[in-house]
mmCIF file of all heavy atoms in Angstrom:
data_model
loop_
_atom_site.group_PDB
_atom_site.id
_atom_site.type_symbol
_atom_site.label_atom_id
_atom_site.label_comp_id
_atom_site.label_asym_id
_atom_site.label_seq_id
_atom_site.Cartn_x
_atom_site.Cartn_y
_atom_site.Cartn_z
ATOM 1 N N LEU A 1134 88.475 -7.149 -63.548
ATOM 2 C CA LEU A 1134 88.045 -5.776 -63.865
ATOM 3 C C LEU A 1134 88.083 -4.901 -62.616
ATOM 4 O O LEU A 1134 87.539 -3.805 -62.604
ATOM 5 C CB LEU A 1134 86.637 -5.808 -64.473
ATOM 6 C CG LEU A 1134 86.496 -6.601 -65.780
ATOM 7 C CD1 LEU A 1134 85.043 -6.776 -66.171
ATOM 8 C CD2 LEU A 1134 87.246 -5.900 -66.914
ATOM 9 N N GLY A 1135 88.688 -5.406 -61.556
ATOM 10 C CA GLY A 1135 88.806 -4.606 -60.330
ATOM 11 C C GLY A 1135 87.552 -4.664 -59.484
ATOM 12 O O GLY A 1135 86.668 -5.496 -59.682
ATOM 13 N N VAL A 1136 87.502 -3.708 -58.540
ATOM 14 C CA VAL A 1136 86.403 -3.677 -57.577
ATOM 15 C C VAL A 1136 85.542 -2.455 -57.862
ATOM 16 O O VAL A 1136 86.069 -1.369 -58.119
ATOM 17 C CB VAL A 1136 86.983 -3.648 -56.143
ATOM 18 C CG1 VAL A 1136 85.897 -3.395 -55.118
ATOM 19 C CG2 VAL A 1136 87.694 -4.953 -55.842
ATOM 20 N N GLY A 1137 84.228 -2.618 -57.822
ATOM 21 C CA GLY A 1137 83.311 -1.510 -58.093
ATOM 22 C C GLY A 1137 83.239 -0.536 -56.926
ATOM 23 O O GLY A 1137 83.724 -0.819 -55.822
ATOM 24 N N ALA A 1138 82.581 0.621 -57.169
ATOM 25 C CA ALA A 1138 82.469 1.652 -56.141
ATOM 26 C C ALA A 1138 81.741 1.135 -54.906
ATOM 27 O O ALA A 1138 81.947 1.621 -53.796
ATOM 28 C CB ALA A 1138 81.730 2.855 -56.711
ATOM 29 N N GLY A 1139 80.879 0.140 -55.091
ATOM 30 C CA GLY A 1139 80.142 -0.430 -53.958
ATOM 31 C C GLY A 1139 80.956 -1.442 -53.167
ATOM 32 O O GLY A 1139 80.504 -1.927 -52.132
ATOM 33 N N GLY A 1140 82.138 -1.818 -53.674
ATOM 34 C CA GLY A 1140 83.025 -2.692 -52.909
ATOM 35 C C GLY A 1140 83.080 -4.142 -53.377
ATOM 36 O O GLY A 1140 83.851 -4.936 -52.845
ATOM 37 N N ASP A 1141 82.282 -4.530 -54.380
ATOM 38 C CA ASP A 1141 82.304 -5.911 -54.881
ATOM 39 C C ASP A 1141 83.102 -5.988 -56.179
ATOM 40 O O ASP A 1141 83.188 -4.994 -56.908
ATOM 41 C CB ASP A 1141 80.874 -6.406 -55.165
ATOM 42 C CG ASP A 1141 80.103 -6.683 -53.878
ATOM 43 O OD1 ASP A 1141 80.755 -6.740 -52.811
ATOM 44 O OD2 ASP A 1141 78.868 -6.836 -53.943
ATOM 45 N N PRO A 1142 83.644 -7.182 -56.514
ATOM 46 C CA PRO A 1142 84.354 -7.313 -57.792
ATOM 47 C C PRO A 1142 83.428 -6.998 -58.973
ATOM 48 O O PRO A 1142 82.253 -7.366 -58.946
ATOM 49 C CB PRO A 1142 84.753 -8.792 -57.836
ATOM 50 C CG PRO A 1142 84.609 -9.294 -56.440
ATOM 51 C CD PRO A 1142 83.623 -8.417 -55.739
ATOM 52 N N ILE A 1143 83.951 -6.316 -59.980
ATOM 53 C CA ILE A 1143 83.148 -5.962 -61.161
ATOM 54 C C ILE A 1143 83.182 -7.117 -62.152
ATOM 55 O O ILE A 1143 84.230 -7.724 -62.370
ATOM 56 C CB ILE A 1143 83.725 -4.713 -61.863
ATOM 57 C CG1 ILE A 1143 83.740 -3.523 -60.907
ATOM 58 C CG2 ILE A 1143 82.918 -4.359 -63.113
ATOM 59 C CD1 ILE A 1143 84.311 -2.246 -61.527
ATOM 60 N N ARG A 1144 82.040 -7.415 -62.751
ATOM 61 C CA ARG A 1144 81.983 -8.394 -63.830
ATOM 62 C C ARG A 1144 81.618 -7.670 -65.114
ATOM 63 O O ARG A 1144 81.011 -6.600 -65.087
ATOM 64 C CB ARG A 1144 80.928 -9.453 -63.539
ATOM 65 C CG ARG A 1144 81.392 -10.406 -62.472
ATOM 66 C CD ARG A 1144 80.286 -11.360 -62.122
ATOM 67 N NE ARG A 1144 80.723 -12.275 -61.098
ATOM 68 C CZ ARG A 1144 81.269 -13.460 -61.334
ATOM 69 N NH1 ARG A 1144 81.442 -13.874 -62.572
ATOM 70 N NH2 ARG A 1144 81.630 -14.239 -60.345
ATOM 71 N N GLN A 1145 81.947 -8.326 -66.228
ATOM 72 C CA GLN A 1145 81.688 -7.716 -67.537
ATOM 73 C C GLN A 1145 80.201 -7.395 -67.712
ATOM 74 O O GLN A 1145 79.835 -6.378 -68.285
ATOM 75 C CB GLN A 1145 82.112 -8.713 -68.603
ATOM 76 C CG GLN A 1145 82.892 -8.076 -69.711
ATOM 77 C CD GLN A 1145 83.185 -9.086 -70.807
ATOM 78 O OE1 GLN A 1145 83.229 -10.295 -70.551
ATOM 79 N NE2 GLN A 1145 83.381 -8.584 -72.004
ATOM 80 N N VAL A 1146 79.351 -8.279 -67.194
ATOM 81 C CA VAL A 1146 77.917 -8.099 -67.362
ATOM 82 C C VAL A 1146 77.422 -6.844 -66.614
ATOM 83 O O VAL A 1146 76.530 -6.136 -67.089
ATOM 84 C CB VAL A 1146 77.172 -9.395 -66.947
ATOM 85 C CG1 VAL A 1146 77.208 -9.632 -65.457
ATOM 86 C CG2 VAL A 1146 75.757 -9.421 -67.472
ATOM 87 N N ASP A 1147 78.023 -6.542 -65.449
ATOM 88 C CA ASP A 1147 77.659 -5.331 -64.701
ATOM 89 C C ASP A 1147 78.006 -4.086 -65.524
ATOM 90 O O ASP A 1147 77.226 -3.138 -65.612
ATOM 91 C CB ASP A 1147 78.419 -5.256 -63.368
ATOM 92 C CG ASP A 1147 78.095 -6.414 -62.432
ATOM 93 O OD1 ASP A 1147 76.906 -6.710 -62.254
ATOM 94 O OD2 ASP A 1147 79.033 -7.013 -61.876
ATOM 95 N N LEU A 1148 79.210 -4.110 -66.130
ATOM 96 C CA LEU A 1148 79.650 -2.946 -66.916
ATOM 97 C C LEU A 1148 78.811 -2.775 -68.174
ATOM 98 O O LEU A 1148 78.482 -1.650 -68.568
ATOM 99 C CB LEU A 1148 81.129 -3.099 -67.301
ATOM 100 C CG LEU A 1148 82.131 -2.979 -66.158
ATOM 101 C CD1 LEU A 1148 83.556 -3.091 -66.692
ATOM 102 C CD2 LEU A 1148 81.957 -1.662 -65.387
ATOM 103 N N ALA A 1149 78.440 -3.894 -68.805
ATOM 104 C CA ALA A 1149 77.624 -3.819 -70.028
ATOM 105 C C ALA A 1149 76.265 -3.205 -69.699
ATOM 106 O O ALA A 1149 75.726 -2.398 -70.470
ATOM 107 C CB ALA A 1149 77.459 -5.216 -70.628
ATOM 108 N N ALA A 1150 75.707 -3.574 -68.545
ATOM 109 C CA ALA A 1150 74.400 -3.031 -68.148
ATOM 110 C C ALA A 1150 74.517 -1.540 -67.835
ATOM 111 O O ALA A 1150 73.687 -0.729 -68.263
ATOM 112 C CB ALA A 1150 73.873 -3.806 -66.937
ATOM 113 N N GLU A 1151 75.570 -1.171 -67.120
ATOM 114 C CA GLU A 1151 75.757 0.248 -66.775
ATOM 115 C C GLU A 1151 75.950 1.091 -68.040
ATOM 116 O O GLU A 1151 75.375 2.180 -68.180
ATOM 117 C CB GLU A 1151 76.960 0.407 -65.846
ATOM 118 C CG GLU A 1151 77.155 1.838 -65.386
ATOM 119 C CD GLU A 1151 78.414 1.981 -64.543
ATOM 120 O OE1 GLU A 1151 78.327 1.760 -63.339
ATOM 121 O OE2 GLU A 1151 79.478 2.308 -65.117
ATOM 122 N N LYS A 1152 76.724 0.567 -68.981
ATOM 123 C CA LYS A 1152 76.985 1.307 -70.234
ATOM 124 C C LYS A 1152 75.672 1.532 -70.995
ATOM 125 O O LYS A 1152 75.451 2.615 -71.556
ATOM 126 C CB LYS A 1152 77.999 0.531 -71.085
ATOM 127 C CG LYS A 1152 78.378 1.237 -72.366
ATOM 128 C CD LYS A 1152 79.549 0.547 -73.042
ATOM 129 C CE LYS A 1152 79.968 1.103 -74.380
ATOM 130 N NZ LYS A 1152 79.231 2.140 -75.022
ATOM 131 N N ALA A 1153 74.821 0.525 -71.009
ATOM 132 C CA ALA A 1153 73.535 0.670 -71.721
ATOM 133 C C ALA A 1153 72.735 1.837 -71.129
ATOM 134 O O ALA A 1153 72.122 2.628 -71.853
ATOM 135 C CB ALA A 1153 72.737 -0.624 -71.622
ATOM 136 N N ILE A 1154 72.754 1.957 -69.805
ATOM 137 C CA ILE A 1154 71.979 3.016 -69.137
ATOM 138 C C ILE A 1154 72.593 4.390 -69.449
ATOM 139 O O ILE A 1154 71.900 5.317 -69.870
ATOM 140 C CB ILE A 1154 71.925 2.756 -67.613
ATOM 141 C CG1 ILE A 1154 71.173 1.450 -67.338
ATOM 142 C CG2 ILE A 1154 71.279 3.934 -66.879
ATOM 143 C CD1 ILE A 1154 71.343 0.906 -65.936
ATOM 144 N N VAL A 1155 73.901 4.499 -69.272
ATOM 145 C CA VAL A 1155 74.567 5.797 -69.504
ATOM 146 C C VAL A 1155 74.408 6.215 -70.967
ATOM 147 O O VAL A 1155 74.043 7.364 -71.266
ATOM 148 C CB VAL A 1155 76.061 5.711 -69.104
ATOM 149 C CG1 VAL A 1155 76.832 6.940 -69.577
ATOM 150 C CG2 VAL A 1155 76.192 5.552 -67.594
ATOM 151 N N ASP A 1156 74.630 5.294 -71.895
ATOM 152 C CA ASP A 1156 74.526 5.632 -73.322
ATOM 153 C C ASP A 1156 73.113 6.096 -73.678
ATOM 154 O O ASP A 1156 72.929 7.018 -74.476
ATOM 155 C CB ASP A 1156 74.898 4.426 -74.201
ATOM 156 C CG ASP A 1156 76.405 4.159 -74.192
ATOM 157 O OD1 ASP A 1156 77.148 4.987 -73.627
ATOM 158 O OD2 ASP A 1156 76.819 3.116 -74.728
ATOM 159 N N THR A 1157 72.112 5.465 -73.070
ATOM 160 C CA THR A 1157 70.727 5.854 -73.369
ATOM 161 C C THR A 1157 70.455 7.268 -72.871
ATOM 162 O O THR A 1157 69.866 8.093 -73.581
ATOM 163 C CB THR A 1157 69.735 4.856 -72.723
ATOM 164 O OG1 THR A 1157 70.123 3.536 -73.080
ATOM 165 C CG2 THR A 1157 68.311 5.126 -73.167
ATOM 166 N N LEU A 1158 70.905 7.570 -71.658
ATOM 167 C CA LEU A 1158 70.678 8.917 -71.114
ATOM 168 C C LEU A 1158 71.409 9.970 -71.948
ATOM 169 O O LEU A 1158 70.867 11.034 -72.243
ATOM 170 C CB LEU A 1158 71.114 8.983 -69.647
ATOM 171 C CG LEU A 1158 70.359 8.062 -68.681
ATOM 172 C CD1 LEU A 1158 70.969 8.147 -67.282
ATOM 173 C CD2 LEU A 1158 68.879 8.410 -68.615
ATOM 174 N N LEU A 1159 72.630 9.640 -72.370
ATOM 175 C CA LEU A 1159 73.400 10.599 -73.182
ATOM 176 C C LEU A 1159 72.763 10.781 -74.557
ATOM 177 O O LEU A 1159 72.745 11.896 -75.093
ATOM 178 C CB LEU A 1159 74.853 10.129 -73.313
ATOM 179 C CG LEU A 1159 75.669 10.163 -72.017
ATOM 180 C CD1 LEU A 1159 77.081 9.642 -72.256
ATOM 181 C CD2 LEU A 1159 75.719 11.575 -71.423
ATOM 182 N N ALA A 1160 72.188 9.720 -75.106
ATOM 183 C CA ALA A 1160 71.513 9.829 -76.414
ATOM 184 C C ALA A 1160 70.330 10.799 -76.321
ATOM 185 O O ALA A 1160 69.958 11.413 -77.314
ATOM 186 C CB ALA A 1160 71.053 8.454 -76.885
#
Side-chain angles (χ1 to χ4, degrees):
L1134 299 170
V1136 171
D1141 287 346
I1143 301 179
R1144 286 175 180 268
Q1145 224 185 335
V1146 71
D1147 298 312
L1148 290 182
E1151 183 184 274
K1152 182 170 176 355
I1154 296 165
V1155 169
D1156 287 353
T1157 309
L1158 298 175
L1159 292 178

